Amino acid sequence: MYNILVVDDEPMICKGVASILLSADIAITEIFIAHNGFEALDFIRLEKIDLILTDIQMEQMNGIELIETIFVENPGIPIIVLSAHGEFEYAQKALRFGVKEYIIKPVNPLELIQVTKALLLERETRLRSLTDATFNHKFSFEDMATNRNYILNELVSEGINESEIDEIFTYLGYRFDGPYYCMLVIRLDLTKAGLFENDITSFRDRNLLKYASLNVIEETLEKWESIVFYSSSNTISVVLQFSEEEMNSSTRLNQQTMIAQLLHNHLLTFINMKSVIGISRIKAGIKSWLEIYQEATEAIRWSEIHQDHNVFYIEDFGKHGEAPLKWGGRNAEPIIETPVNQRLQSIGHVISKLDDMIASQIDEDNNGFIHSTIQYIEKNFRQKGLKLQDIADSVYLSPNYLSYLFKKIVGINLWDYVTKLRMEEGKRLILTTDKRRYEISDEIGYESPEHFSKIFKKHFGINPSEIKN
């Protein structure tokens, strides 16, 4: 059963689209209707949405802004754009951000039903087709050991001379114009994976899973300029390319973290592969690959501290000072009892104490981030169009890491906390003032009284008009 969200500032179009879909042979649980981008984001944050149909030209927040925000906050939702003929080229820039299809207005009912069915069916069949193709593949050493992987590993581990760049990339068959690059290093858990989560013990199974993971990653990144390659026994590396135009985009700062989260989710969904992903900063020039590879590798080391998290952006964790030590503390390797190793154990004991001190400092830093976040939210929760990006920017963290920290420390999702403050303030205004519903909804950040009433009933279980009874 599916939940579908229709977004358009023309009520008749929303009702028409909803009516067409409800009359079709589609297993729909509910169709939610939003008349602008801000209302749409509330539904996405509070409901499980399987598919979105959105207009492009809307007041307050247009469809492109909505699509980019969805990509930052929930990148896995497929999107259909409802577009007038003259808007097509403008809408094409959203291709990377979850847009699967375009439907030209006026909407053709048969086309709408066919496209919607096809996308929902694609979600169900993609796992089967991908895993069948992967695990029926005849394993070959050539898949895992090629000149391409060797050369790319040399570039990220040893660097490259400026004079060699053109020759090497001509040989590899790539045209990489950049001029900006980011590195993702994906560490795979090859101990237990696959459809039945079996223990992985054989050489063949491990390498088939690495091949499957590479397929998932390459398919996920088909709309981005990227290079994907094996970088060690259990890691796959990705180089992402960003143009000057993309560097000026409002979503650029979080594209790499959302891409990483999308990769993690797809690996888990399609082949049940657990992973940890480290993300570098974005830097200029192919010569920066050595540095950004080291940053992405360092970012992964923070999984030793945050073992319940899976995406680590170096910019978030640089604020804590030094990265975790590679050994010592709870991750120490057992040491054989010899006179030399006894001395090493003593050193390891000191390092273990340093680990504890670092962990304590990190806890203190994290609590400080969340305290500042709560202060910002309490000051700004009434603001119309408040975004997760705005809140994350206020404490200089990525939305991904802030959301993780907030849930871990406060115990509820960040946006649930924003909604809770809005609802409590709305309730207070109903009980203590004579303000009308539209005045209250406007005061606490909602675009329409009808939308405020829907959220209020979901939160408290009753309508605003019933609260005084």
Side-chain angles (χ1 to χ4, degrees):
M1 299 294 285
Y2 304 106
N3 288 335
I4 295 175
L5 174 63
V6 181
V7 190
D8 199 300
D9 56 4
E10 297 185 37
M12 291 304 296
I13 291 180
C14 289
K15 290 179 181 179
V17 170
S19 177
I20 292 169
L21 294 178
L22 288 171
S23 66
D25 183 23
I26 302 174
I28 295 175
T29 301
E30 189 166 357
I31 294 182
F32 299 97
I33 292 177
H35 297 303
N36 58 62
F38 298 124
E39 291 184 7
L41 289 175
D42 276 327
F43 283 121
I44 292 162
R45 290 158 179 163
L46 296 173
E47 306 287 350
K48 179 185 177 295
I49 303 296
D50 298 296
L51 181 70
I52 297 170
L53 297 97
T54 181
D55 187 20
I56 286 293
Q57 293 292 0
M58 297 183 290
E59 294 183 0
Q60 299 166 347
M61 175 187 281
N62 66 41
I64 298 297
E65 293 171 320
L66 171 63
I67 290 163
E68 290 182 342
T69 304
I70 292 170
F71 179 76
V72 170
E73 297 191 16
N74 197 338
I77 306 176
I79 299 169
I80 299 172
V81 164
L82 305 175
S83 169
H85 284 281
E87 300 167 355
F88 183 76
E89 289 187 8
Y90 171 64
Q92 277 188 309
K93 69 176 290 188
L95 267 173
R96 290 179 173 178
F97 302 110
V99 172
K100 297 293 186 180
E101 293 285 351
Y102 295 91
I103 295 178
I104 303 299
K105 293 180 179 179
V107 174
N108 180 301
L110 182 58
E111 180 187 11
L112 174 63
I113 292 170
Q114 287 175 339
V115 169
T116 301
K117 280 185 174 181
L119 285 182
L120 292 173
L121 181 62
E122 178 187 321
R123 288 167 65 89
E124 296 180 2
T125 59
R126 189 177 179 192
L127 169 61
R128 190 185 317 118
S129 62
L130 181 60
T131 53
D132 285 351
T134 296
F135 290 101
N136 290 330
H137 174 76
K138 185 177 180 181
F139 174 72
S140 166
F141 282 99
E142 292 179 357
D143 291 322
M144 307 301 296
T146 63
N147 286 341
R148 172 180 175 275
N149 285 311
Y150 175 80
I151 291 170
L152 290 169
N153 275 287
E154 278 286 303
L155 296 185
V156 300
S157 61
E158 302 297 333
I160 185 172
N161 189 290
E162 193 78 36
S163 62
E164 299 175 313
I165 291 176
D166 289 341
E167 179 184 358
I168 288 175
F169 280 90
T170 298
Y171 174 79
L172 291 172
Y174 292 119
R175 179 178 175 83
F176 240 41
D177 297 322
Y180 298 97
Y181 303 95
C182 172
M183 184 76 70
L184 309 183
V185 173
I186 305 164
R187 188 179 69 198
L188 307 172
D189 182 356
L190 295 172
T191 59
K192 190 184 291 288
L195 293 177
F196 305 105
E197 203 171 359
N198 295 324
D199 291 334
I200 306 303
T201 57
S202 74
F203 175 83
R204 181 181 184 279
D205 287 346
R206 281 195 303 273
N207 285 286
L208 278 176
L209 280 168
K210 282 189 276 187
Y211 177 78
S213 299
L214 191 79
N215 279 353
V216 172
I217 293 166
E218 288 182 332
E219 184 176 337
T220 301
L221 294 173
E222 63 181 351
K223 293 175 183 174
W224 280 272
E225 291 290 334
S226 61
I227 294 178
V228 183
F229 58 97
Y230 302 108
S231 46
S232 73
S233 61
N234 68 335
T235 64
I236 294 174
S237 292
V238 176
V239 181
L240 293 170
Q241 172 181 238
F242 295 93
S243 65
E244 291 281 2
E245 181 183 0
E246 287 171 314
M247 289 296 288
N248 295 324
S249 167
S250 60
T251 59
R252 186 266 304 171
L253 291 175
N254 292 296
Q255 275 195 45
Q256 63 268 44
T257 56
M258 291 304 103
I259 290 169
Q261 190 63 57
L262 197 59
L263 289 171
H264 176 270
N265 292 346
H266 283 185
L267 286 168
L268 201 57
T269 299
F270 298 132
I271 55 173
N272 200 22
M273 171 63 71
K274 296 176 183 176
S275 63
V276 175
I277 303 178
I279 311 165
S280 77
R281 298 173 178 87
I282 298 176
K283 297 194 176 181
I286 291 175
K287 290 189 69 174
S288 71
W289 286 17
L290 174 63
E291 185 178 358
I292 61 178
Y293 177 73
Q294 291 171 344
E295 286 189 352
T297 303
E298 180 182 342
I300 283 184
R301 288 166 54 193
W302 287 93
S303 63
E304 298 173 19
I305 299 295
H306 300 288
Q307 297 184 4
D308 55 346
H309 194 42
N310 45 61
V311 172
F312 298 87
Y313 175 42
I314 189 64
E315 187 73 12
D316 289 329
F317 300 97
K319 298 174 176 64
H320 297 303
E322 294 297 323
L325 297 164
K326 288 185 179 179
W327 62 294
R330 62 173 178 271
N331 298 296
E333 294 290 333
I335 300 176
I336 299 171
E337 291 292 340
T338 66
V340 173
N341 284 327
Q342 285 175 0
R343 291 196 294 275
L344 289 175
Q345 267 197 332
S346 177
I347 296 171
H349 179 69
V350 173
I351 292 177
S352 176
K353 288 190 173 182
L354 289 174
D355 276 350
D356 292 339
M357 290 172 63
I358 292 170
S360 176
Q361 182 61 49
I362 290 170
D363 287 342
E364 184 177 335
D365 291 344
N366 288 340
N367 287 332
F369 287 135
I370 298 308
H371 177 70
S372 297
T373 300
I374 288 173
Q375 284 185 319
Y376 181 87
I377 292 172
E378 289 179 346
K379 182 179 179 181
N380 294 281
F381 73 87
R382 300 174 185 83
Q383 176 185 319
K384 287 185 179 180
L386 180 66
K387 299 177 186 177
L388 177 58
Q389 180 67 64
D390 300 329
I391 300 170
D393 285 346
S394 74
V395 291
Y396 306 102
L397 294 178
S398 68
N400 176 278
Y401 183 54
L402 177 61
S403 297
Y404 158 75
L405 272 187
F406 196 94
K407 178 69 179 293
K408 182 175 183 178
I409 293 173
V410 180
I412 64 171
N413 291 329
L414 187 151
W415 204 259
D416 289 343
Y417 185 77
V418 174
T419 302
K420 178 177 180 294
L421 291 182
R422 286 178 168 178
M423 292 301 101
E424 291 294 344
E425 178 66 4
K427 180 180 177 181
R428 185 189 71 80
L429 291 171
I430 291 171
L431 293 174
T432 62
T433 73
D434 294 325
K435 292 184 176 181
R436 297 180 180 273
R437 188 179 52 148
Y438 74 86
E439 294 175 308
I440 293 173
S441 66
D442 184 72
E443 187 169 328
I444 63 174
Y446 290 109
E447 293 293 333
S448 73
E450 293 78 16
H451 186 63
F452 162 61
S453 295
K454 288 178 185 177
I455 305 298
F456 191 95
K457 184 170 184 179
K458 182 175 179 64
H459 188 80
F460 289 113
I462 59 174
N463 292 315
S465 58
E466 301 173 298
I467 198 75
K468 287 186 177 180
N469 297 338

